[in-house]
Amino acid sequence: MDTGYNEAEFKELISKYNYKEIMHHTFKNVITPQFKERGFRKNNKTFYKERDGLIEICNVQFSSFNHRTTSSLTYNISIAIPSLYKSLGITVKNKLEATVFESRYGTIILYLNGIPSNFDYWYRLEAYTPSNINEFESEIDENINLLSNQLDSRYNIKTGEGFEEVVVADIDNYILKFFESIPDAETLLDHIENDDPKGIIDESMMLQTSMLYYSNGEIEKGKKILNRIGNGNYKVLIERYTTDGIISL
C-alpha cells in the first residue's frame, strides 16, 4: 500500500520547519490581532466580546500531540447569557461559563455551508501526510468528506504556504459570521423558547437551555423545548435522559 512517505522529503521539511512553533506564531501574530482588531478581549487562549446582553466566545485549542513534525489547532465556539443564569439562580465563577451554546468549530463550518451534522475540523501542518488518508474517512458523510478535502486544500499543509491567509479569512467568514447571525440575547432566548429548530445548531442551543430551565425551577418551560426537539438530532440522548430518570416528559 502506498503511504506517500518519502524519507528524503520528510527530513528536508523538518530541517526547514518547526510546525509547533509555526502554530504558536500564528496564534500570537495572526489570530490574536485579528480578534483584538474586531473588539474582542483576550483571556489566555480565549477571546470574548460582550454585546447586546450576550457574550461571544472563541477558545483556541491546540492539539496535545503538537510537536515539531506535526501540529494542529481548532476553535471552540460558545454563546453566554449571564442574565439568564442570574434569573435562574445559577452561580458561576466566571461570566464566560454562563453558556447557552457550545460547539466545535467544524460544526459551525458545516452549518454555514448548509450541512446539518457535527464535524471536528482542525487546521493542520505536518511533514508527513499519507496519500491514502481518505481511506480512513469511509464512514464520513460524502458531503462532509468533500468539504473537509476542500478546506485542507486551501493551503500547503507541508510548507504552510497560504496558511495564515486562510486563518484570517476564516475568522471573518465562519466565526464572526456565525456570531453576527445572532441579533441579541432577548431575540435568541425567544427563538429558543418558541420556534422550531432549523438544524443542529438550533437544537444544540435548545437542548442546553432546556436543561438549564428543567434543572433550575422552570420545569415546564424546559419540557416544552425538549418536546419540540425530541425527534431531531438529539432524540437518542433525550430518550436516554428519560430512561435514566434525569428528566420526565
Side-chain angles (χ1 to χ4, degrees), residues 11-225:
K11 288 182 177 180
E12 181 181 4
L13 286 168
I14 64 174
S15 71
K16 291 181 177 180
Y17 307 109
N18 182 319
Y19 298 108
K20 183 175 181 178
E21 288 184 357
I22 293 172
M23 279 289 178
H24 284 274
H25 173 87
T26 300
F27 173 75
K28 180 179 179 181
N29 297 287
V30 179
I31 295 175
T32 295
Q34 290 298 316
F35 276 104
K36 287 190 171 182
E37 287 172 9
R38 290 155 175 78
F40 284 76
R41 301 175 68 181
K42 180 176 178 290
N43 181 4
N44 197 6
K45 294 183 179 68
T46 298
F47 301 92
Y48 65 96
K49 182 167 70 174
E50 299 181 54
R51 56 97 176 165
D52 303 311
L54 56 81
I55 308 175
E56 303 169 346
I57 305 166
C58 180
N59 166 260
V60 179
Q61 179 182 346
F62 292 97
S63 170
S64 58
F65 299 103
N66 283 358
H67 54 84
R68 64 175 294 108
T69 66
T70 180
S71 195
S72 58
L73 67 80
T74 190
Y75 302 105
N76 299 297
I77 309 296
S78 304
I79 297 290
I81 303 181
S83 62
L84 174 63
Y85 275 59
K86 183 177 181 180
S87 71
L88 294 172
I90 306 172
T91 301
V92 291
K93 293 181 180 179
N94 187 319
K95 59 188 176 183
L96 303 185
E97 299 173 5
T99 57
V100 296
F101 174 72
E102 298 171 272
S103 179
R104 301 292 282 176
Y105 173 52
T107 302
I108 300 295
I109 294 176
L110 290 189
Y111 166 73
L112 293 173
N113 279 278
I115 304 174
S117 185
N118 286 313
F119 178 47
D120 196 11
Y121 176 74
W122 293 73
Y123 295 97
R124 297 181 294 119
L125 293 173
E126 54 193 27
Y128 166 53
T129 304
S131 61
N132 62 334
I133 190 170
N134 287 340
E135 293 183 18
F136 300 99
E137 299 176 347
S138 59
E139 297 181 0
I140 297 178
D141 177 89
E142 182 178 352
N143 291 327
I144 299 175
N145 192 16
L146 178 62
L147 178 60
S148 178
N149 289 334
Q150 290 174 342
L151 293 170
D152 285 346
S153 68
R154 297 176 301 167
Y155 62 92
N156 191 314
I157 288 175
K158 292 184 177 181
T159 68
E161 183 180 358
F163 175 61
E164 292 186 355
E165 291 82 357
V166 167
V167 169
V168 170
D170 285 358
I171 289 173
D172 280 326
N173 295 334
Y174 289 122
I175 299 173
L176 297 187
K177 185 176 180 180
F178 170 71
F179 286 144
E180 290 165 0
S181 72
I182 302 171
D184 53 64
E186 183 178 359
T187 302
L188 178 59
L189 288 176
D190 182 72
H191 171 64
I192 288 172
E193 293 174 10
N194 298 294
D195 296 337
D196 290 329
K198 297 178 180 178
I200 196 166
I201 296 294
D202 272 5
E203 291 180 31
S204 297
M205 292 184 182
M206 291 175 178
L207 178 63
Q208 183 168 344
T209 307
S210 66
M211 294 305 294
L212 288 172
Y213 285 145
Y214 193 95
S215 303
N216 294 279
E218 295 282 357
I219 294 176
E220 292 305 316
K221 187 179 289 188
K223 282 184 177 182
K224 178 183 175 183
I225 301 171

